[in-house]
Amino acid sequence: MTAKNVLFLTGLFLSLLLGSRNGWTETVEVKIIKSTFIPAVIKVKKGDTVRWINTEELLHTVASGKAPMQDKKFHAPYVKKEFEVTFDKAGFYDYYCELHQAIMRGVVIVEDP
Ligand SMILES: [Cu+2]
């Protein structure tokens, strides 16, 4: 085994070790299709990231809170393509689109594993 291989395997082992200690975090996608958040209710683990993807030309926003009251936990004034939030605290996060708040609403449920 060459020194290069040993280094590579050591690095691989360390990253696996550290990865499992911290728990794997995931990025979960919510798509905006026909002015709807899909899926509207999403369950993630603490430390995970939610990525909203706007699939249409129409502008949308992502504002935390119960429409029409923002609670300012997160806010994207315009989701042209993508917007991400990492959730470090367990809880129940309502959000909505300020431009279509009567119909565009969603919830992120963050669980503490
Ligand atoms: Cu919208």
Side-chain angles (χ1 to χ4, degrees):
M1 196 182 280
T2 65
K4 222 177 183 178
N5 282 342
V6 171
L7 264 180
F8 172 75
L9 286 174
T10 307
L12 187 69
F13 176 71
L14 276 177
S15 64
L16 283 173
L17 190 73
L18 291 173
S20 62
R21 189 185 296 157
N22 297 337
W24 299 105
T25 59
E26 275 186 277
T27 297
V28 185
E29 295 180 349
V30 174
K31 292 202 168 115
I32 299 171
I33 301 168
K34 293 185 181 168
S35 295
T36 309
F37 294 113
I38 296 174
V41 178
I42 197 169
K43 210 181 262 190
V44 300
K45 293 185 299 303
K46 208 168 86 170
D48 285 353
T49 298
V50 176
R51 179 187 295 146
W52 284 269
I53 299 170
N54 189 358
T55 66
E56 42 199 26
E57 293 292 310
L58 209 59
L59 280 178
H60 297 288
T61 80
V62 173
S64 64
K66 274 190 198 286
M69 293 292 292
Q70 278 188 53
D71 63 13
K72 313 238 157 135
K73 285 176 184 159
F74 51 90
H75 184 217
Y78 296 109
V79 182
K80 282 179 184 155
K81 286 222 163 102
E82 292 185 8
F83 170 60
E84 282 187 2
V85 177
T86 300
F87 290 88
D88 296 320
K89 269 193 192 164
F92 203 81
Y93 298 85
D94 285 289
Y95 68 89
Y96 62 99
C97 168
E98 295 153 275
L99 304 172
H100 314 101
Q101 59 191 29
I103 52 161
M104 280 187 80
R105 300 177 187 199
V107 179
V108 178
I109 300 165
V110 182
E111 294 181 321
D112 208 339

